[in-house]
Amino acid sequence: MFGEGILKGLAETARNFLGSYVSKKRLTTVQYPEQRLPQIEAYRNFPFLVYDGDDWQQGLRCVSCFICEKECPPKCIIIEKSTDKKPDAVGKLQFYPKVFNIDVSVCMSCQICVEVCPFDAIKMDTDFELSSTDRFSGLLWDKKHLAKSNEHYHKIHPTEAAAVDAQLAAERAKIAAKTKATAEAKPATPTPPANANGAGPNAANQPVPTATEK
Amino acid sequence: MSTATEPVRILPQSPANSGSDSGEGQLLEVSMGPQHPSTHGVFRMDVVLDGERVVRLKPVFGYLHRNHEKIAEHETYLGSMPYTDRLDYICSLTNNWAYALAVEKLAGIQVPERAEYIRIITAEMTRFLNHAALIGFLTQDMGASGTPLMYAFRERETILDLFESLTGARMMCNYMRFGGCRVDLPAGWLDQAKKFAATLPRFLEEFERLLATNEILMARTQGVGVLSKEFAVNAGVTGPVLRASGVNYDVRKVDKYGIYDRFAFKVPLGEHGDTYDRYMIRLLEMHESLKILNQALQDIPEGPIVDPKTKIRGFRPKPGEAYGRIEAPKGELGFYLISDGTANPYRYRVRSSCMMNLTVLEDLCIGHNVADVVVILGSIDIVMGEVDR
Amino acid sequence: MTPENIKSEVEASIPGCQLEIVSNPSPSGQHSLRIDPAHAVAIATFLRDAEPLRLDYCSNVTGVDWPGKEISEKVKVKKLVDGVEQEVEEIRKTQTIGHLEVVYHLYSMEKKHGPVILRMRTEDRAERVHLPSLTPVWRSAEFQEREIFDLYGVIFDGHPDLRRILMWDGFEDHPMRRDYVEPDDFEYEPTAHDEVLERARQHRTVMGPL
């Protein structure tokens, strides 16, 4: 019969329409922003800097090694190294970034900066409701805006943050064990702090000269 | 359907008239301009019409040209990977694979088995995504305003959620690396994927019942835009458009890249080469993709994700060149790389499947009505990100 | 199907043509054949139609820019040094002209083999940039040769419709060349680094303070 195909199609549409009253699977629209879908854990949006502890300036993990700035494909990261140093999580003195800006209007959330960072200092955030009224400087985020605590990292990416914490704790334990070993080996002379010149699993890809300590 | 973006001009003496039936009425030159709901992006067609019939058609593009090839000459090899996502922005994972394949050919890098299986799983999901979007858009262009499109997009959403939990982003995935993949499958992903693949046959059956025997669809697409075999081969058309004309050429079967020779799948071929064949071919290819997907999800082994010798930073392949190509959902996507030993490629060229498929657009549309131009363009399936790069 | 076989077959059937094998040092093993522009169309037709090859599908047409380089070589010359004629080593610098190159990747859909890679060179980068178009042989070269004309400046003789394809009509210069200088026409650069910052500063002084 002519028109049979159309009728079959209409039957299909009717099944979907009436089915949406009875079955949850057919009702796929989510009334955003009142209803939201659960956030998937691996989702990434723009980067942020991680700090340990409570003080965002003291606990900032970034040591201003410039690797993320060099590897960023659209070159949206601007870093300026500080002239003095501050102690990091194991007490070693490291440089820190005096200026760390990310131009969010250029950043394409490709995650290459996270992949290449040897210090787990920059990670991907998940917030996407980020509109600003200032088209230029409102989208150029500075160090203060970017620094978020490790607790925040645990909240947004729990499994990833747990893995990173475990790895960092293992590295620090290794460094601490090595310091103890060198301290016990030389009881007379005052021991220099953590001799991390060749130790530490990050040494292979640490470009920052670590020999410049007291 | 012939909304013009500039006032129509009747040109009795213009060069457009030469070679056509001059003296028989006047010819109308219409610009189906870059802002048009049916041109699949910023794409313009200068159409010369005799009444409703197309006499000449010149495609004009370049509105989305972002000089990807020149940017790649200043970026490292890895830094170009996020830019390849944005070529054919609907199917980013196959673009990533094509680029990774070209670099692996250039540098002689081996890929571990688990990574090959993951690549095939994601590529076949991407092919499914793309064909679902295409048949949705094609039917929307014909006037079924959105309903089949939204049914197809329901399945797309599930696949995009799977991609998000794997790679971190729905569309701009940046997932393949030279020598494997970036991260391993998270816990529970395989089960979710298997559950999803089990619901797909029902979706395909529903979709076929919805539209494949629809009389309006058949009247609008059968006999429209017939592409002959010889012309298709000579014009460099590849992908479903070529196979709808009856030429059996699928890069997965010819080059056997990755581990495609381990999977049993057929290559659907069309008979008439018209728009209806191009539409049905995509439905059939979705069935074949599903077969490959099920086999890959069953057989995926454990193992490393990436070749252990690859370097993320400081990757400098030796001087030489390589051309690597894959069967992307739209056709053959190839990357031609010339390396001069430094960290940046000397020449980086994208062989874009959509741009080559557009070569035949003029010849397919001549003699048809304006309304058919939209349908033919929809069946060729272009994404301007790849045409213009 | 090796480049040597193809070379001997083509030379046997088309008298006077010059083919040269360009070897590819990378692991991909894709060696290419350099053909001379005078016989290019004849060679292409032969490759498309002759029996064992039947390369009916031209997959990719690429343009490459090889700018001129300075080559310095040590040359022994006889010179007068303090009245005594001696052989002295001198460093002589020559500047090569540079050329543009077009690379064709050919496959066969009928026999399912490939790729066969052809290369053609122009004589220089300024005036003598004409090459024969292979569009009459393979229609797939049409848009790609237009793109090479647009972005590199190679003029293809015999192309049915040679005009700009990606850049707008009226654009001058050829953007993909290695010595292309971008016009200084942006007014605001949000994260200017290095030379972009320098140019933005100069722009600002010309235009006046914000």
Side-chain angles (χ1 to χ4, degrees), chain A residues 2-6 9 12-13 15-16 26 28 40 42-44 67 71 73-74 108 110-111 115-116, chain B residues 75 79 82 86 151 154 161 164-165 167-168 172-174 177 182 202 206 209-210 213-215 312-313:
Chain A
F2 184 73
E4 187 178 345
I6 302 183
E12 204 46 57
T13 318
R15 185 174 310 140
N16 268 295
R26 295 227 183 253
T28 42
I40 294 186
Y43 174 63
R44 60 176 196 255
I67 293 183
E71 298 288 326
M108 51 178 176
C110 65
Q111 212 190 31
E115 255 179 271
V116 294
Chain B
E75 295 280 355
R86 288 148 169 90
Y151 291 169
R154 265 199 313 229
D161 282 344
E164 192 178 351
S165 53
T167 71
M172 304 294 142
C173 297
N174 186 19
R177 294 283 178 263
R182 184 170 65 84
R202 173 112 187 273
E206 246 185 44
R209 246 197 322 228
L210 182 66
T213 48
N214 190 311
E215 281 80 5
I312 295 275
R313 303 185 58 221

Side-chain angles (χ1 to χ4, degrees), chain B residues 1-8 29-47 57-61 63 370 373-374 377 382 384:
Chain B
M1 287 263 184
S2 62
T3 41
T5 56
E6 48 186 27
V8 303
E29 182 171 327
V30 169
S31 155
M32 288 181 70
Q35 287 132 339
H36 191 292
S38 307
T39 52
H40 292 265
V42 274
F43 178 62
R44 197 177 99 199
M45 292 183 276
D46 277 334
V47 187
L57 186 149
K58 288 285 172 215
V60 178
F61 42 86
Y63 291 95
V370 172
V373 169
V374 172
L377 182 65
I382 57 170
M384 294 318 287

Side-chain angles (χ1 to χ4, degrees), chain B residues 22-317:
Chain B
S22 52
E24 284 271 341
Q26 290 166 322
L27 295 180
L28 207 67
E29 182 171 327
V30 169
S31 155
M32 288 181 70
Q35 287 132 339
H36 191 292
S38 307
T39 52
H40 292 265
V42 274
F43 178 62
R44 197 177 99 199
M45 292 183 276
D46 277 334
V47 187
V48 175
L49 297 171
D50 173 23
E52 275 272 334
R53 221 169 30 95
V54 173
V55 170
R56 257 179 46 148
L57 186 149
K58 288 285 172 215
V60 178
F61 42 86
Y63 291 95
L64 197 51
H65 180 61
R66 298 162 289 182
N67 63 318
H68 174 205
E69 301 184 353
K70 195 151 183 106
I71 291 178
E73 289 178 7
H74 298 291
E75 295 280 355
T76 57
Y77 284 87
L78 183 63
S80 290
M81 186 64 92
Y83 289 98
T84 59
D85 282 337
R86 288 148 169 90
L87 278 176
D88 172 2
Y89 36 78
I90 305 183
C91 327
S92 71
L93 282 163
T94 44
N95 300 347
N96 283 353
W97 189 0
Y99 180 49
L101 192 77
V103 174
E104 284 156 13
K105 273 203 174 144
L106 179 66
I109 304 177
Q110 299 295 324
V111 180
E113 214 181 317
R114 184 172 166 93
E116 293 276 22
Y117 270 90
I118 296 183
R119 281 178 171 186
I120 290 195
I121 292 174
T122 47
E124 294 307 318
M125 283 186 173
T126 311
R127 196 178 312 271
F128 194 93
L129 260 190
N130 174 289
H131 290 332
L134 174 85
I135 54 186
F137 286 131
L138 184 59
T139 48
Q140 186 180 23
D141 285 348
M142 284 193 260
S145 48
T147 310
L149 176 65
M150 287 300 132
Y151 291 169
F153 266 54
R154 265 199 313 229
E155 309 309 312
R156 245 183 82 97
E157 286 298 311
T158 327
I159 300 185
L160 289 176
D161 282 344
L162 282 173
F163 284 169
E164 192 178 351
S165 53
L166 174 63
T167 71
R170 283 156 52 98
M171 281 168 78
M172 304 294 142
C173 297
N174 186 19
Y175 180 61
M176 307 291 172
R177 294 283 178 263
F178 312 132
C181 307
R182 184 170 65 84
V183 290
D184 204 343
L185 305 175
W189 196 88
L190 268 182
D191 297 319
Q192 246 185 320
K194 283 183 187 153
K195 242 195 322 193
F196 166 68
T199 65
L200 282 181
R202 173 112 187 273
F203 159 71
L204 284 173
E205 193 199 340
E206 246 185 44
F207 211 89
E208 280 168 17
R209 246 197 322 228
L210 182 66
L211 278 181
T213 48
N214 190 311
E215 281 80 5
I216 304 178
L217 182 87
M218 293 203 285
R220 280 205 72 179
T221 56
Q222 282 176 346
V224 167
V226 178
L227 180 61
S228 71
K229 267 194 204 184
E230 298 74 27
F231 183 44
V233 171
N234 193 261
V237 171
T238 50
V241 182
L242 176 73
R243 293 195 281 277
S245 297
V247 180
N248 184 358
Y249 194 77
D250 185 330
V251 183
R252 292 176 290 178
K253 293 273 190 195
V254 170
D255 276 1
K256 301 192 181 54
Y257 60 93
I259 42 173
Y260 268 112
D261 44 359
R262 291 192 207 175
F263 295 94
F265 64 101
K266 298 207 189 85
V267 175
L269 291 178
E271 263 177 40
H272 308 279
D274 58 5
T275 306
Y276 187 67
D277 276 358
R278 290 195 276 273
Y279 173 83
M280 286 308 292
I281 279 260
R282 283 166 172 124
L283 272 176
L284 293 172
E285 282 200 356
M286 281 158 79
H287 280 281
E288 301 300 321
S289 275
L290 194 51
K291 272 196 226 166
I292 304 178
L293 190 61
N294 284 332
Q295 289 170 51
L297 285 171
Q298 221 39 53
D299 298 336
I300 178 170
E302 299 295 326
I305 268 296
V306 76
D307 183 25
K309 295 196 295 285
T310 52
K311 294 192 285 191
I312 295 275
R313 303 185 58 221
F315 175 65
R316 286 189 163 77

